[in-house]
């Protein structure tokens, strides 16, 4: 990535702005393509997948790609910026370790608060 620098805020805002701009257009397109009605979650997932695919195509000359992963403990998604050649994770937004800590704090809080008196 010579001469190219991506910050977490830049990546996050780019993905969100692209998804919001394309949301209505893609929602109409998805509804006309499918005869069976889809839930809003399926529409959002389809939009995210399409946005990531298009971002990856635009980032192809820089040899990086974006992957979205589901964090199993906290049930939230996080993005990974990955070197396409070496498959090395360059950056995570938010960091997976932060999500691990958050999930563990929620678990421990549940042990204290949810006890019967």
């Amino acid at each position: 990535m010579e001469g190219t620098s991506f910050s977490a805020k830049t990546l996050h805002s780019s993905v969100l702005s692209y998804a919001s701009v394309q949301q209505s257009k893609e929602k109409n397109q998805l509804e006309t393509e499918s005869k069976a009605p889809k839930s809003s979650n399926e529409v959002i997932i389809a939009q995210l997948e399409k946005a990531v695919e298009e971002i990856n195509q635009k980032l192809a000359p820089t040899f990086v790609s974006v992957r979205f992963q589901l964090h199993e403990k906290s049930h939230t998604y996080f993005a990974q910026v990955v070197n396409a050649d070496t498959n090395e994770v360059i950056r995570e937004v938010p960091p997976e370790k932060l999500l691990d800590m958050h999930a563990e704090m929620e678990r421990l809080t549940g042990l204290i608060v949810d006890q019967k008196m």
Side-chain angles (χ1 to χ4, degrees):
M1 280 187 19
E2 288 182 20
T4 305
S5 174
F6 293 102
S7 71
K9 287 183 180 180
T10 303
L11 176 64
H12 181 69
S13 64
S14 296
V15 170
L16 289 179
S17 65
Y18 178 81
S20 66
V21 167
Q22 298 295 324
Q23 183 176 10
S24 62
K25 184 169 42 171
E26 291 175 1
K27 185 175 181 181
N28 291 337
Q29 182 181 4
L30 287 172
E31 289 174 355
T32 57
E33 288 175 357
S34 173
K35 293 180 182 175
K38 292 186 177 183
S39 70
S40 62
N41 286 341
E42 291 174 336
V43 172
I44 292 171
I45 290 171
Q47 290 172 347
L48 278 175
E49 289 174 350
K50 185 173 181 176
V52 169
E53 182 179 319
E54 289 185 17
I55 290 171
N56 282 338
Q57 289 174 354
K58 290 179 182 179
L59 293 175
T62 62
F63 304 108
V64 296
S65 63
V66 179
R67 290 190 298 207
F68 286 90
Q69 301 286 334
L70 177 65
H71 188 262
E72 294 178 12
K73 294 178 185 175
S74 66
H75 303 289
T76 58
Y77 283 93
F78 64 99
Q80 292 179 324
V81 179
V82 180
N83 182 329
D85 291 337
T86 63
N87 211 23
E88 174 188 7
V89 176
I90 299 169
R91 177 169 290 164
E92 294 178 331
V93 181
E96 187 175 11
K97 289 183 180 184
L98 182 67
L99 294 174
D100 289 339
M101 289 185 339
H102 181 262
E104 185 65 17
M105 284 190 272
E106 282 185 341
R107 186 188 71 80
L108 293 173
T109 302
L111 293 175
I112 295 170
V113 175
D114 293 339
Q115 291 181 352
K116 291 183 180 181
M117 291 188 186

